[in-house]
């Protein structure tokens, strides 16, 4: 799980959980819009950058070391899906 892989405190875990729930809801809203494939991808990328990239909302909850672990964890998940 994320908490163990990254080493989040209870407070951090709570904050990240809220942010991930927000992200999930916003992704769902984009999917529900009648957008072209290109428009949808653009909106999703912007949303992901806002939440998941360096300087994003989730990054502000974590230390630099935790964020590096987060990225490694995310890459492992992506690789497992392929």
């Amino acid at each position: 799980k994320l908490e163990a892989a990254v080493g989040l405190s209870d407070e951090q875990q709570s904050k990240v959980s809220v942010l991930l729930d927000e992200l999930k809801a916003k992704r769902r809203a984009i999917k529900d819009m009648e957008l072209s494939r290109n428009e949808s991808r653009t909106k999703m990328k912007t949303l992901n950058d806002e939440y998941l990239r360096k300087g994003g909302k989730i990054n502000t909850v974590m230390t630099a070391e935790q964020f590096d672990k987060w990225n490694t964890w995310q890459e492992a998940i992506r690789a497992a899906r392929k």
Side-chain angles (χ1 to χ4, degrees):
K1 278 197 109 167
L2 168 66
E3 300 81 25
V6 177
L8 298 176
S9 69
D10 289 342
E11 182 181 353
Q12 287 173 311
Q13 182 178 338
S14 176
K15 289 178 180 179
V16 168
S17 180
V18 168
L19 290 170
L20 290 174
D21 287 344
E22 283 177 15
L23 176 60
K24 185 187 259 184
K26 288 181 179 184
R27 282 179 173 168
R28 193 172 299 122
I30 290 171
K31 287 181 181 181
D32 290 344
M33 293 178 188
E34 293 189 20
L35 301 172
S36 72
R37 185 178 183 120
N38 191 40
E39 289 173 320
S40 179
R41 282 185 180 182
T42 300
K43 286 188 178 291
M44 286 289 194
K45 182 181 180 334
T46 300
L47 188 60
N48 286 338
D49 288 347
E50 179 184 344
Y51 279 84
L52 303 175
R53 303 292 181 243
K54 188 169 185 122
K57 291 183 178 186
I58 289 177
N59 181 215
T60 62
V61 174
M62 299 178 188
T63 66
E65 181 181 338
Q66 288 171 324
F67 192 69
D68 288 341
K69 288 179 182 179
W70 158 270
N71 282 324
T72 301
W73 183 73
Q74 290 286 311
E75 289 170 11
I77 290 172
R78 280 188 218 103
R81 289 181 185 162
K82 291 183 179 180

